[in-house]
């Protein structure tokens, strides 16, 4: 579409050639693209050129489990009836096995460019959890940025930064007091015009606070963490896209998400291989086929741990994720029940 770059509204919303190329000549005439800002029971709030409304989210011909609109999706709606015609193919889709249900998949967000992996400089900080999110980012092809909040609550923020940086060469790590606009402004570069950033992480780490600070507003509810254990109160309950103002604020979109209790992994073999490329490279050298790399004498992983070139804790985290992926992946009917397959995190 020739209007792609000149049409500021659609461009601001993240409209790209990738999406416009999917429209047939007929759809160009009869349909209008809109982006999903939030999802409610059976309905979606959408924004398009001169159009913001809540529409029914039922597809004319529903298909597989990913065939339903999620936050960040681009939809085609009929100009005349304003009904949903189709979901455009996504540049990326974040999903996870729905907690407590082996058959369903929860769609977290679509068409995300960058993932803010938010954790705080306190008890929440956990390299295994960050690795899980890194795997997810790899799998869908979004740029990961580790955002360490509550830097003001620790005397040694650099310790957290160093631990996070060690997880992946060249990983972007930002550390800040998420309530401070001047510090939060360092994140604006990741969310330029039309770009979409999703914030994920545990409850109480300050995802909504960051969105508020970046927008210069306090419209999203936030809540103090529990005094006894420092855990969040699951304040945010819906996934929602929020627009950033222009100028120093970038002009992009932030998807705020509810804090996750657990992040199970399924269909992420590629992501695991890439995030743990140091471990998988050694595993490939192991001369035993079907080696569990646990304690077989002569195993390459065991040798690398003994030599000090591989961190045993990291190998253990790799093994856990790889096993979990194996258990949760494949056709739903063949999945092992997670209740039997392993303990919940
Ligand atoms: N000291 C300090 N407090 C912060 C910081 N960021 C957030 N907080 C506080 O942490 C508490 C939780 O923040 P929220 O923004 O509600 O956390 P959330 O990640 O959105 O939590 P859920 O919506 O439950 O997933 C609030 O009281 C915030 O004011 C920070 O950088 N420093
Ligand atoms: Mg929140
Ligand atoms: Zn081995």
């Amino acid at each position: 579409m020739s209007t792609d770059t000149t049409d500021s509204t659609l461009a601001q919303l993240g409209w790209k050639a990738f999406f416009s190329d999917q429209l047939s000549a007929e759809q160009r005439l009869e349909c209008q693209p809109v982006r999903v800002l939030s999802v409610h029971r059976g309905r979606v709030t959408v924004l398009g050129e001169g159009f913001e409304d809540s529409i029914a989210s039922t597809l004319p011909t529903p298909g597989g489990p990913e065939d339903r609109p999620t936050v960040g999706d681009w939809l085609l709606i009929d100009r005349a009836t304003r009904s949903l015609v189709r979901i455009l193919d996504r540049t990326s889709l974040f999903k996870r096995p729905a907690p407590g249900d082996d058959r369903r998949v929860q769609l977290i967000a679509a068409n995300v460019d960058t993932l803010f992996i938010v954790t705080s400089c306190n008890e929440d900080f956990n390299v295994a959890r960050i690795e899980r999110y890194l795997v997810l980012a790899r799998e869908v092809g979004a740029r990961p940025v580790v955002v360490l909040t509550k830097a003001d609550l620790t005397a040694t923020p650099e310790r957290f930064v160093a631990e996070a940086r060690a997880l992946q060469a060249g990983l972007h790590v930002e550390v800040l007091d998420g309530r401070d606009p001047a510090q939060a402004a360092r994140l604006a570069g990741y969310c330029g015009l039309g770009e979409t950033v999703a914030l994920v992480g545990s409850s109480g780490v300050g995802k909504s606070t960051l969105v508020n600070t970046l927008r210069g507003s306090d419209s999203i509810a936030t809540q103090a963490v529990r005094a006894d254990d420092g855990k969040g109160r699951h304040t945010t309950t819906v996934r929602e896209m929020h627009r950033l103002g222009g100028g120093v604020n970038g002009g992009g979109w932030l998807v705020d998400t509810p804090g996750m209790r657990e992040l199970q992994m399924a269909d992420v073999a590629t992501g695991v291989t890439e995030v743990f490329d140091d471990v998988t490279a050694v595993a490939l050298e192991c001369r035993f086929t079907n080696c569990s790399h646990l304690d077989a004498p002569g195993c390459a992983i065991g040798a690398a741990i003994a030599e000090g070139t591989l961190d045993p804790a990291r190998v253990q985290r790799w093994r856990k994720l790889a096993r979990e992926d194996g258990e949760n992946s494949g056709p739903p009917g063949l999945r092992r029940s997670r209740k039997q397959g392993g303990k919940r995190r």
Side-chain angles (χ1 to χ4, degrees), residues 234-305:
H234 293 275
T235 308
T236 304
T237 53
V238 289
R239 291 181 304 278
E240 202 166 355
M241 293 226 314
H242 302 276
R243 189 201 283 268
L244 287 181
V248 292
N249 286 334
W253 292 85
L254 298 175
V255 182
D256 191 14
T257 69
M260 289 186 201
R261 286 189 179 84
E262 64 167 340
L263 181 59
Q264 282 279 335
M265 307 257 84
D267 306 314
V268 292
T270 312
V272 172
T273 304
E274 290 175 0
V275 169
F276 291 87
D277 56 355
D278 51 341
V279 184
T280 44
V282 177
L284 279 175
E285 283 166 18
C286 187
R287 59 193 150 109
F288 304 121
T289 44
N290 293 327
C291 182
S292 62
H293 310 302
L294 268 173
D295 43 21
C299 165
I301 295 269
I305 290 174

Side-chain angles (χ1 to χ4, degrees), residues 33-324:
V34 294
R35 196 149 190 216
V36 177
L37 300 187
S38 61
V39 180
H40 308 278
R41 196 168 279 277
R43 301 190 75 76
V44 286
T45 305
V46 295
L47 182 62
E49 212 178 359
F51 181 79
E52 177 166 6
D53 206 352
S54 161
I55 63 165
S57 59
T58 332
L59 279 166
T61 46
E66 291 169 12
D67 244 357
R68 56 205 148 102
T70 189
V71 174
D73 260 326
W74 277 102
L75 311 178
L76 283 190
I77 60 168
D78 187 300
R79 280 185 201 277
T81 65
R82 299 203 153 172
S83 59
L84 174 55
V85 174
R86 62 179 277 219
I87 305 172
L88 294 179
D89 289 348
R90 298 144 168 159
T91 57
S92 65
L93 175 65
F94 279 96
K95 56 179 180 174
R96 64 167 178 164
D101 184 340
D102 287 336
R103 256 163 285 270
R104 280 182 65 81
V105 49
Q106 183 180 53
L107 308 183
I108 301 170
N111 302 317
V112 168
D113 303 299
T114 300
L115 191 69
F116 280 178
I117 301 169
V118 187
T119 177
S120 41
C121 297
N122 56 14
E123 312 90 301
D124 184 73
F125 185 90
N126 177 310
V127 287
R129 187 176 327 100
I130 298 175
E131 275 167 345
R132 276 173 188 260
Y133 285 115
L134 289 175
V135 167
L136 202 62
R138 275 296 174 113
E139 198 62 44
V140 303
R143 166 177 59 176
V145 179
V146 175
V147 179
L148 303 168
T149 59
K150 312 198 184 184
D152 53 296
L153 297 184
T154 172
T156 53
E158 56 301 334
R159 185 173 69 80
F160 295 91
V161 174
E163 273 196 57
R165 287 230 167 95
L167 293 177
Q168 193 174 297
L171 181 63
H172 293 272
V173 180
E174 303 285 349
V175 60
L176 46 75
D177 175 347
R179 302 164 306 172
D180 177 14
Q183 295 183 43
R186 294 205 294 266
L187 301 177
Y190 297 107
C191 24
L193 192 79
E195 283 192 90
T196 305
V197 180
L199 294 90
V200 291
S202 318
S203 176
V205 295
K207 300 178 294 297
S208 301
T209 301
L210 268 177
V211 176
N212 279 338
T213 307
L214 280 164
R215 298 180 79 218
S217 136
D218 58 2
S219 59
I220 308 171
T222 63
Q223 208 177 169
V225 296
R226 300 195 303 226
D228 49 346
D229 60 3
K231 290 212 190 315
R233 299 171 193 267
H234 293 275
T235 308
T236 304
T237 53
V238 289
R239 291 181 304 278
E240 202 166 355
M241 293 226 314
H242 302 276
R243 189 201 283 268
L244 287 181
V248 292
N249 286 334
W253 292 85
L254 298 175
V255 182
D256 191 14
T257 69
M260 289 186 201
R261 286 189 179 84
E262 64 167 340
L263 181 59
Q264 282 279 335
M265 307 257 84
D267 306 314
V268 292
T270 312
V272 172
T273 304
E274 290 175 0
V275 169
F276 291 87
D277 56 355
D278 51 341
V279 184
T280 44
V282 177
L284 279 175
E285 283 166 18
C286 187
R287 59 193 150 109
F288 304 121
T289 44
N290 293 327
C291 182
S292 62
H293 310 302
L294 268 173
D295 43 21
C299 165
I301 295 269
I305 290 174
E307 279 165 20
T309 48
L310 277 184
D311 170 11
R314 184 164 157 87
V315 170
Q316 210 170 357
R317 299 195 301 265
W318 163 72
R319 201 178 281 122
K320 188 165 187 286
L321 277 179
R323 189 179 30 193
E324 191 176 307

